[in-house]
Amino acid sequence: MADHEIAHHGSCLCGAIGFIAAGAPNWVGICHCSTCRRATGGVLMAAAGFSRARVKFSGAPARSYRSSSEVQRKFCGMCGSSLSYENERWPDDIHLMVANFARADLLRPQFHIFAGERLPWLEIVDGLPHYRGTPSEGVLES
């Protein structure tokens, strides 16, 4: 099966909201920023970036929260599952939370972002690059 034929299915915890992301993700990364941690309730957050045109939601409408002037986060109004991150800096992209995919094991991370905000007691030994901000900024943590 070619990358453009892949369909990644997922849903929130209660199943009220489902989604399908067509094709391979543009990237998969792990974020350590404090806002992603607080929005998801985790010590880090893994997301897969897709073109919005390749993602379709179904079921109940997602609720949204503007966590900053540029960022909107969507979540299930019934179970509270964090579903997506959308940033005006990347208007054609949507970042979907990896944990919500039925086959999250197929979405292997490629890097860490905002690594400087990593909780100090969390040891990461996966060998992936750790960016101070985002990969497009290109600054690696030493």
Side-chain angles (χ1 to χ4, degrees):
M1 180 181 289
D3 281 352
H4 68 279
E5 296 173 353
I6 297 169
H8 296 281
H9 297 260
S11 71
C12 63
L13 178 62
C14 72
I17 301 173
F19 62 85
I20 297 174
N26 299 332
W27 54 264
V28 180
I30 298 172
C31 185
H32 296 274
C33 83
S34 62
T35 29
C36 282
R37 291 196 323 258
R38 292 176 72 189
T40 63
V43 298
L44 47 78
M45 183 274 299
F50 288 90
S51 165
R52 282 182 203 268
R54 295 190 295 135
V55 176
K56 303 288 184 239
F57 286 92
S58 60
R63 304 270 318 260
S64 64
Y65 173 71
R66 187 163 287 279
S67 60
S68 70
S69 62
E70 295 180 330
V71 174
Q72 180 169 281
R73 296 170 185 271
K74 291 191 178 164
F75 61 96
C76 176
M78 294 179 69
C79 67
S81 293
S82 180
L83 296 167
S84 69
Y85 169 98
E86 301 171 52
N87 191 315
E88 292 174 6
R89 289 171 52 187
W90 307 293
D92 297 328
D93 295 343
I94 186 167
H95 307 167
L96 301 174
M97 305 305 120
V98 168
N100 295 325
F101 284 91
R103 292 295 314 270
D105 59 309
L106 299 178
L107 298 164
R108 189 175 191 87
Q110 300 158 307
F111 51 78
H112 293 262
I113 61 172
F114 297 99
E117 294 184 45
R118 177 183 55 82
L119 293 170
W121 46 260
L122 181 63
E123 186 176 341
I124 306 290
V125 292
D126 58 15
L128 298 175
H130 289 232
Y131 291 94
R132 187 167 293 148
T134 63
S136 61
E137 294 166 347
V139 180
L140 290 166
E141 284 285 298
S142 47

